[in-house]
């Protein structure tokens, strides 16, 4: 447990046992329901959960900004908030797939469409709530620039990867999401560190940045560049490594690659929203 605590970001803690039991029971119930229903897993389904990843990050920002009612606060801490959001997202998926909703039968969006739309709606509410909490002292320019840089850089890397390693094309939109998520995490961390004066909470990331800070390049271009490079290399390697798995076992491969995307997109979205509403 002590080793695990050293690997988790600073500020991570479990909620009181009562909250933890409620969340555990709900999570298991949703997992059992999904296993029983056996919903079809495609790249579109996995990508539909991207807004839910942003929702989890936004809820944690609200927790850090003390914008959550006390009775709900234990559900919004780290890492609990991600399990809370995963439970709600899974319930939405189970309810949608279990009801057999489809464009042909009910004239409604497809299962990925409903999952994505519901997640987007909740994410927008959470982001708007966080911006309201942080107003009027919002810092918009640098986080916005970080998003633009991440989009351009991820597009270039993804395009180059598909041409250099054609087999990665099988990962589709999930592969692109994984590359973008980790690019966003790297760029947002560099912006927070080198421009806005924030520190790094994750021990592993902090070690990389401390190493870069000791290099001669630190005085010229800062220490964040190495973290961006590491995140890009890791994302590319994982996508290449999982390509064959996605080809052979699409459902499991897409889910695994979606989890990889989540550990990049989640922290990246968290960073940018936190930088927008708080000062270091």
């Amino acid at each position: 447990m002590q080793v695990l605590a050293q690997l988790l970001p600073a500020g991570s803690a479990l909620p009181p046992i009562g909250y933890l039991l409620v969340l555990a029971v709900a999570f298991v119930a949703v997992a059992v329901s999904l296993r029983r229903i056996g919903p079809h897993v495609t790249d579109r389904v996995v990508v539909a959960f991207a807004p839910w990843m942003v929702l989890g990050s936004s809820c944690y920002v609200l927790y850090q900004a003390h914008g959550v009612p006390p009775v709900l606060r234990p559900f919004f801490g780290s890492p609990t908030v991600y399990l809370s959001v995963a439970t709600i997202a899974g319930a939405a998926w189970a309810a949608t797939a279990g009801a057999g909703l489809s464009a042909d039968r009910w004239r409604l969006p497809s299962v990925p469409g409903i999952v994505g739309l519901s997640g987007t709606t909740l994410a927008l509410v959470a982001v708007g709530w966080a911006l309201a909490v942080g107003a009027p002292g919002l810092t918009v320019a640098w986080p916005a620039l970080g998003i633009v840089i991440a989009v351009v850089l991820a597009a270039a890397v993804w395009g180059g990867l598909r041409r250099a390693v054609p087999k990665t094309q099988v990962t589709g939109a999930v592969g692109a999401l994984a590359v973008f998520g980790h690019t966003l995490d790297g760029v947002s961390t560099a912006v927070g560190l080198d421009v806005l004066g924030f520190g790094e909470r994750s021990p592993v990331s902090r070690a990389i940045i401390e190493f870069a800070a000791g290099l001669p390049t630190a005085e010229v271009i800062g220490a964040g560049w190495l973290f961006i490079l590491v995140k890009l290399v890791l994302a590319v390697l994982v996508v290449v490594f999982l390509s064959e798995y996605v080809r052979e076992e699409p459902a499991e491969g897409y889910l695994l690659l979606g989890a990889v995307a989540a550990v990049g997109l989640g922290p990246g979205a968290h960073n940018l929203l936190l930088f927008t509403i708080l000062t270091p």
Side-chain angles (χ1 to χ4, degrees), residues 22-36 87 90-91 94:
V22 169
L23 188 55
V25 170
F27 181 80
V28 170
V30 169
V32 170
S33 297
L34 284 171
R35 183 176 181 82
R36 183 176 303 164
T87 301

Side-chain angles (χ1 to χ4, degrees), residues 66-92:
H66 302 283
V68 182
V71 68
L72 297 177
R73 185 171 170 81
F75 290 118
F76 282 63
S78 176
T80 314
V81 65
Y82 301 108
L83 185 60
S84 301
V85 172
T87 301
I88 299 172

Side-chain angles (χ1 to χ4, degrees), residues 194-267:
D194 293 333
V195 179
L196 300 179
F198 282 84
E200 176 55 47
R201 299 170 60 251
S202 172
V204 176
S205 301
R206 188 164 57 245
I208 296 173
I209 291 169
E210 288 175 353
F211 175 78
L215 298 176
T217 54
E219 296 183 2
V220 180
I221 58 176
W225 68 269
L226 182 60
F227 187 67
I228 297 175
L229 180 61
V230 169
K231 295 291 287 185
L232 284 173
V233 170
L234 286 176
V236 166
L237 290 177
V238 169
V239 172
V240 172
F241 178 75
L242 290 179
S243 295
E244 288 299 328
Y245 188 42
V246 171
R247 185 185 301 278
E248 296 173 2
E249 299 288 343
E252 296 179 8
Y254 283 135
L255 286 174
L256 183 56
L257 194 54
V260 172
V263 298
L265 181 59

Side-chain angles (χ1 to χ4, degrees), residues 13-217:
L14 293 177
I17 187 64
Y19 287 88
L20 194 58
L21 286 175
V22 169
L23 188 55
V25 170
F27 181 80
V28 170
V30 169
V32 170
S33 297
L34 284 171
R35 183 176 181 82
R36 183 176 303 164
I37 295 170
H40 189 49
V41 178
T42 65
D43 59 338
R44 292 182 63 238
V45 169
V46 175
V47 171
F49 284 98
W52 293 91
M53 302 172 194
V54 175
L55 173 63
S57 301
S58 303
C59 287
Y60 184 46
V61 170
L62 283 168
Y63 174 89
Q64 293 174 286
H66 302 283
V68 182
V71 68
L72 297 177
R73 185 171 170 81
F75 290 118
F76 282 63
S78 176
T80 314
V81 65
Y82 301 108
L83 185 60
S84 301
V85 172
T87 301
I88 299 172
W93 188 19
T96 304
L101 294 177
S102 67
D104 294 335
R105 183 177 178 183
W106 297 101
R107 296 184 181 179
L108 291 173
S110 61
V111 170
I114 294 174
V115 171
L117 180 61
S118 58
T120 299
T121 301
L122 291 175
L124 289 174
V125 170
V127 170
W129 184 359
L131 294 176
V133 169
L138 299 179
T139 303
V140 178
W142 280 108
L145 181 59
I147 294 176
V148 173
I149 294 174
V151 169
V152 173
L153 185 57
V157 171
W158 176 241
L161 177 61
R162 294 182 66 191
R163 287 191 293 270
V165 189
K167 70 176 183 178
T168 58
Q169 296 180 20
V170 72
T171 62
V174 187
L177 181 64
V179 171
F180 171 71
H182 286 273
T183 304
L184 185 68
D185 186 19
V187 171
S188 64
T189 298
V191 169
L193 178 73
D194 293 333
V195 179
L196 300 179
F198 282 84
E200 176 55 47
R201 299 170 60 251
S202 172
V204 176
S205 301
R206 188 164 57 245
I208 296 173
I209 291 169
E210 288 175 353
F211 175 78
L215 298 176
T217 54

